[in-house]
Amino acid sequence: PDEDTTSPARIVFLRDTPWQQALTAALRQAGKGRVIEVRPGTGYERHGEDRFTIDPSDTASHKRLFDALERDGVVWRDLLYLWCDTAAPDADLSARARWPLALARALGGREDKSRLWFVTRGAQQLPGDTAIAVEAAPLAALAPCQRCR
């Protein structure tokens, strides 16, 4: 079959919250490809082979990240977007709506077959939930549209 012979990387857009760090560490321990960490900052900067900072609201900053990874020959499968966690200390509308739009614009037109995972807290009601996080609604509306592209 058309199986990829390389171990695809996972790109994790994270902050420094304990659960996000634990998830990233678990992915790394699983040993199924590289785990590339991307944190929000004021612009694009590379801090090592697998650590980056980008301006989350800037589409060009996202594109620089993807271009750098492609130049390095990195093949990725999953993009885990954890920046929209409404429990994060600096969560705001930008993290839940504007930043994902910049990411979607940067991914637009790419030929890769990566999967984009928006990880939210309370954006959609699950069995047993008593409330929904209304502030996460913009992202819940964007995710299905991105999948259709």
Side-chain angles (χ1 to χ4, degrees):
D2 312 277
E3 205 167 8
D4 191 357
T5 57
T6 64
S7 283
R10 288 174 176 84
I11 303 173
V12 183
F13 295 85
L14 75 153
R15 301 169 196 247
D16 287 321
T17 63
W19 78 267
Q20 291 179 3
Q21 291 174 346
L23 174 63
T24 304
L27 289 171
R28 202 169 260 116
Q29 285 178 333
K32 305 277 187 196
R34 289 167 61 179
V35 176
I36 297 162
E37 298 178 13
V38 183
R39 288 182 170 75
T42 57
Y44 172 86
E45 191 173 346
R46 189 171 196 157
H47 303 282
E49 186 178 17
D50 293 337
R51 288 182 171 73
F52 296 84
T53 302
I54 64 170
D55 176 352
S57 63
D58 180 34
T59 300
S61 193
H62 286 81
K63 285 182 178 180
R64 284 186 69 190
L65 167 71
F66 297 134
D67 290 345
L69 294 173
E70 285 177 353
R71 276 192 306 275
D72 290 352
V74 175
V75 175
W76 63 82
R77 178 181 59 209
D78 295 309
L79 292 96
L80 292 112
Y81 190 89
L82 310 180
W83 287 346
C84 47
D85 174 16
T86 56
D90 59 343
D92 60 13
L93 181 61
S94 293
R96 290 184 298 275
R98 293 184 191 125
W99 295 358
L101 285 173
L103 172 62
R105 283 189 209 107
L107 289 172
R110 291 197 173 269
E111 299 286 328
D112 64 65
K113 295 183 184 197
S114 57
R115 298 179 294 192
L116 176 58
W117 302 90
F118 289 111
V119 180
T120 63
R121 188 176 296 188
Q124 295 183 338
Q125 192 167 16
L126 298 174
D129 286 349
T130 56
I132 191 167
V134 176
E135 65 278 6
L139 185 61
L142 170 68
C145 297
Q146 184 61 25
R147 192 172 41 230
C148 295
R149 292 193 68 180

